[in-house]
Amino acid sequence: MTQPESLASARLYLCTDARKRQGDFEDFVDAAFAGGVDIIQLRDKTIEAAEELEILAVLRSVAQRHGRLWAVNDRADVASVSAAPVFHIGQKDLPLKVARTFLPKPAVIGLSTHTPEQVNAAITASPGNDGLDYFCVGPVWATPTKPGRTAVGLDLVTYAAEATKRADETTQVAVELPWFAIGGIDLNNVEQVVAAGASRIVVVRAITEAEDPTAAAKSLLEALDAG
């Protein structure tokens, strides 16, 4: 399965720090992938580039063993050197065209969006070899992993669902641009997100703080299916 095909079928995306406090990064990501997580992104602002590359080597090894994707956040140089299959940028990070100079296709690039205008821009930026591959919508609810970021609520999730469908009808593209709802999503509210129109989610604490990451991932996927 190619990277775009893997992305198209991805439903559960996990962001995690390096788990230096727990000291169990390899075991943790292995357990998360075993539970059905499709993509794991290393997002840790406390580590320098050299240490990040070492941890990413572990993540890459585990991801390849499970046949899953792994991602780098923010730093295009680190993503390029580590040959990351997925790179994620925020609205204030590198512009997409610049990021593509570091990571040409088939590398996958995703973007965070927080407003209807940003969702529209993400959809517009998707076609072609230099285009965007996926976007995230959120934070749906306030979360300590994004301090100071105002929650966008479920309305933006619904907007994204409707906007991507409109894009499909206009361009006659058979497969819609993949997008994920993110921000404070857990087993208690995931059905609300699905009801609002999302079929893919990004989680952090719902798995990173779980006693059993494998079981937590399976439960979230079951909730997505039920929705």
Side-chain angles (χ1 to χ4, degrees):
M1 184 179 292
T2 66
Q3 290 172 21
E5 288 173 342
S6 297
L7 176 67
S9 63
R11 295 186 298 158
L12 185 55
Y13 190 144
L14 169 65
C15 293
T16 180
D17 63 11
R19 295 184 70 86
K20 295 174 73 173
R21 178 175 60 83
Q22 297 92 336
D24 65 351
F25 183 80
E26 182 171 2
D27 289 341
F28 170 76
V29 295
D30 183 69
F33 279 132
V37 171
D38 299 292
I39 308 171
I40 295 182
Q41 178 192 127
L42 175 62
R43 187 172 70 194
D44 194 325
K45 304 293 187 179
T46 70
I47 57 177
E48 299 296 337
E51 185 177 9
E52 184 172 0
L53 287 170
E54 292 177 359
I55 298 167
L56 286 171
V58 175
L59 178 57
R60 177 178 63 244
S61 176
V62 178
Q64 289 177 342
R65 188 163 68 244
H66 285 273
R68 304 294 170 83
L69 295 172
W70 56 280
V72 170
N73 182 56
D74 289 348
R75 295 200 54 171
D77 56 342
V78 171
S80 178
V81 170
S82 64
V86 181
F87 177 54
H88 191 85
I89 52 178
Q91 289 290 324
K92 296 182 179 180
D93 296 325
L94 283 177
L96 175 61
K97 288 184 178 180
V98 177
R100 275 292 176 214
T101 66
F102 287 89
L103 297 151
K105 295 283 189 176
V108 166
I109 297 181
L111 175 69
S112 297
T113 65
H114 318 294
T115 66
E117 293 76 17
Q118 291 172 1
V119 168
N120 293 341
I123 294 170
T124 301
S126 64
N129 288 333
D130 295 329
L132 194 69
D133 297 291
Y134 75 91
F135 66 96
C136 293
V137 174
V140 181
W141 289 283
T143 169
T145 63
K146 287 290 183 181
R149 176 73 67 184
T150 303
V152 302
L154 291 167
D155 287 347
L156 190 60
V157 174
T158 299
Y159 181 88
E162 294 174 349
T164 51
K165 289 177 182 177
R166 287 199 302 271
D168 285 347
E169 293 168 358
T170 301
T171 62
Q172 300 301 307
V173 175
V175 180
E176 71 176 45
L177 177 65
W179 62 277
F180 298 77
I182 184 174
I185 300 172
D186 59 26
L187 199 56
N188 294 317
N189 57 34
V190 63
E191 291 183 2
Q192 297 178 53
V193 180
V194 174
S199 60
R200 303 174 177 89
I201 58 171
V202 181
V203 299
V204 183
R205 292 173 297 153
I207 295 179
T208 62
E209 296 183 1
E211 291 186 8
D212 185 338
T214 300
K218 288 181 178 179
S219 295
L220 287 164
L221 286 169
E222 289 172 0
L224 286 174
D225 289 339

